[in-house]
Amino acid sequence: MSYNTLGMRRTAAIAAAKVAATLSRHLRFGGGTALPGLLAERIDPRIIAGMTEKLGQGSVLITGTNGKTTTARFLRNIAQAAGLRPVANRAGSNMMRGIASALVESADWGGEFASPERRLGVFEVDEATLPEAAWAVRPRAVLFTNLFRDQLDRYGEVEHVASAWRKAVAAWPEAVTIVLNADDPSVASLGQDAKGRVIYYGMKDRSAAPSAAAGLEHAADARWCTGCGSELSYAAVFYGHLGHWRCPKCGRSRPQVQVGCAQLAGEPGGLTLLITLPGGDVNVRLPLTGLYNAYNALAAVSTAVALGVERAAIQKGLSSFTAAFGRQERMKVAGRDVQVILAKNPAGLNQVLRTVTEDGAAGEPKRDLALFLNDGLADGRDISWIWDVDFELLADKTRSVTVSGTRAWDMALRLKYAGLETISQVETDPALALRRALKETPQGGTLYVIPTYTAMLEVRELLARWSGRRAFWEEA
């Protein structure tokens, strides 16, 4: 293809994508986070590779089952504190079309970036999309957060995803740094396939996480050694299968970490972390709760270290953090505090339930919840995973549970078996369900809204409208 033909294609692709994004947002079709990229790729299949070459600071890919959006937001804050200008799929559209949309949105109509020498791509990527994204983007670094069961009808079992990751990592050149969660056996094992630099992060010891689990959860997804297949033993378990692990048969064990959490203190509405890294320590308070968010912060800091960001910028970036849409985002609606917390698989929802029951606002012995269960394509059609969630944690700690979504009655049945039938009620219409849940929540109290992905987009839009907040793509 001639240069002129390629240039015409790229110009047409950018123009079509920008027009589609404008129309989509004007008509409120989700903020134009995927359709513009889909059009751009159809017109110019090499648009991602061509445009990422113009990012003077290169790109980072962030993948894993849980925590991608929050971790990417942490990293963007750190990059901005370091004087960089991130280009990112901010709204969480994490397939190729989402990356293409982000690039087009950040560029001018000619496909050029302002201050290209300071541009850093920060792209969260769907687990299955990672190999294709890495081929197109040619990243400086790739971060793997964790690997849990998620959307089994789409991804298959975790070993299928792990195998695809191993093949991808083995094919990358030495120039690519990979950042790995040492506490996840499936993720940590990827370091053996890497040709280039590897940075590990994790919890320093059990004392760093006072709310650590007593043992492996029944739904843990990595009980077996990736080397010999023997059952792993744990000196400490933090949540799910994340912990200090070792194979008693072949001797494989959790790697030593370069970035670690030495201290973690939780309080209503926040976390205080002491993070150790090669250049010194970072002590910061975050407006997020839950052990899983401590891991998200560690992941972002480790990636910043991989990029050579100075400690002062890491401290500043963490300190200025605000929650991403639907990820412990807080709003005020009808005199109640409302917190929206996305949960889409057993490990994630178990952590959310633990966080909610441990972190209620002062003076609230009982919690009020609204659970939304959908089975859209982005959620996964198979909702059997709810039977691996420990809803029994809510016993004696919950005042009301309102259930909604396309699979509301499935959730209601699960709650019945958890002994919560007397305090749960079903309302399939999302708007009516939110209003009912708000009514059940006392004035000045907190309503915890816990939706799956497609439900989160819908309920977040309703709550934003009622609270006077902007659309998520304008705030992300």
Side-chain angles (χ1 to χ4, degrees), residues 4 29 93 119 128 182 210 368 444:
N4 286 340
F29 289 159
S93 181
R119 292 288 185 166
D368 296 286

Side-chain angles (χ1 to χ4, degrees), residues 31-109:
T33 59
L35 177 60
L38 181 62
L39 284 174
E41 282 198 293
R42 288 283 177 87
I43 298 169
D44 179 6
R46 292 197 68 257
I47 192 167
I48 293 176
M51 294 189 72
T52 52
E53 288 177 353
K54 299 179 180 181
L55 302 176
Q57 297 293 321
S59 296
V60 174
L61 298 181
I62 297 171
T63 196
T65 307
N66 294 330
K68 294 185 290 293
T69 299
T70 299
T71 300
R73 192 177 179 95
F74 272 126
L75 185 58
R76 292 202 309 273
N77 266 37
I78 292 170
Q80 289 168 342
L84 303 179
R85 297 187 61 180
V87 175
N89 46 345
R90 301 174 300 151
S93 181
N94 58 22
M95 291 192 248
M96 297 298 286
R97 64 195 66 170
I99 298 175
S101 292
L103 290 164
V104 170
E105 179 186 13
S106 298
D108 63 22
W109 286 77

Side-chain angles (χ1 to χ4, degrees), residues 457-472:
L457 298 177
E458 185 173 6
V459 301
R460 199 277 179 187
E461 182 177 358
L462 288 167
L463 291 169
R465 193 185 312 155
W466 297 346
S467 65
R469 292 283 289 273
R470 293 180 296 171
F472 70 84

Side-chain angles (χ1 to χ4, degrees), residues 48 61 94 96 99 125-126 129-139:
I48 293 176
L61 298 181
N94 58 22
M96 297 298 286
I99 298 175
V125 180
D126 172 90
T129 304
L130 175 68
E132 182 183 4
W135 180 88
V137 172
R138 307 295 183 190

Side-chain angles (χ1 to χ4, degrees), residues 429-448:
D429 180 87
L432 294 178
L434 283 175
R435 293 197 183 279
R436 177 177 286 188
L438 286 165
K439 186 177 180 180
E440 293 288 337
T441 306
Q443 280 281 337
T446 299
L447 171 64
Y448 297 93

Side-chain angles (χ1 to χ4, degrees), residues 2-315:
S2 70
Y3 176 81
N4 286 340
T5 302
L6 178 61
M8 291 173 62
R9 276 200 172 197
R10 188 143 306 158
T11 300
I14 292 169
K18 284 185 174 292
V19 169
T22 300
L23 289 174
S24 180
R25 292 178 180 182
H26 179 72
L27 297 172
R28 300 188 70 82
F29 289 159
T33 59
L35 177 60
L38 181 62
L39 284 174
E41 282 198 293
R42 288 283 177 87
I43 298 169
D44 179 6
R46 292 197 68 257
I47 192 167
I48 293 176
M51 294 189 72
T52 52
E53 288 177 353
K54 299 179 180 181
L55 302 176
Q57 297 293 321
S59 296
V60 174
L61 298 181
I62 297 171
T63 196
T65 307
N66 294 330
K68 294 185 290 293
T69 299
T70 299
T71 300
R73 192 177 179 95
F74 272 126
L75 185 58
R76 292 202 309 273
N77 266 37
I78 292 170
Q80 289 168 342
L84 303 179
R85 297 187 61 180
V87 175
N89 46 345
R90 301 174 300 151
S93 181
N94 58 22
M95 291 192 248
M96 297 298 286
R97 64 195 66 170
I99 298 175
S101 292
L103 290 164
V104 170
E105 179 186 13
S106 298
D108 63 22
W109 286 77
E112 301 299 326
F113 298 99
S115 304
E117 73 283 355
R118 294 194 290 130
R119 292 288 185 166
L120 172 71
V122 179
F123 304 117
E124 55 176 291
V125 180
D126 172 90
E127 298 95 299
T129 304
L130 175 68
E132 182 183 4
W135 180 88
V137 172
R138 307 295 183 190
R140 287 176 60 189
V142 181
L143 163 66
F144 295 83
T145 60
N146 47 59
L147 183 56
F148 293 104
R149 270 178 298 152
D150 188 40
Q151 298 187 44
L152 292 179
D153 50 342
R154 177 166 171 247
Y155 297 127
E157 288 291 347
V158 291
E159 179 51 35
H160 176 74
V161 178
S163 177
W165 283 358
R166 284 194 293 269
K167 291 177 183 177
V169 169
W172 295 341
E174 290 185 14
V176 179
T177 298
I178 64 170
V179 182
L180 303 175
N181 185 344
D183 295 344
D184 187 322
S186 299
V187 170
S189 67
L190 297 173
Q192 299 168 13
D193 299 295
K195 296 185 178 74
R197 182 186 182 199
V198 180
I199 294 177
Y200 294 99
Y201 68 91
M203 293 289 153
K204 283 285 192 178
D205 53 45
R206 190 177 183 85
S207 64
S211 62
L216 280 177
E217 298 174 355
H218 73 276
D221 296 318
R223 297 173 180 270
W224 315 103
C225 176
T226 58
C228 69
S230 299
E231 187 169 6
L232 297 172
S233 64
Y234 282 79
V237 177
F238 299 112
Y239 77 89
H241 55 258
L242 271 58
H244 290 190
W245 52 273
R246 181 181 181 278
C247 176
K249 184 174 181 180
C250 72
R252 289 194 183 198
S253 61
R254 171 189 181 268
Q256 291 295 313
V257 300
Q258 288 79 50
V259 178
C261 179
Q263 293 178 20
L264 167 63
E267 54 191 79
L271 290 172
T272 299
L273 302 178
L274 176 62
I275 300 175
T276 62
L277 51 148
D281 296 345
V282 170
N283 200 327
V284 66
R285 187 188 186 281
L286 304 176
L288 299 174
T289 56
L291 181 56
Y292 62 101
N293 277 315
Y295 272 103
N296 293 337
L298 277 178
V301 170
S302 303
T303 309
V305 169
L307 297 174
V309 176
E310 294 184 357
R311 184 164 56 95
I314 293 174
Q315 176 83 53

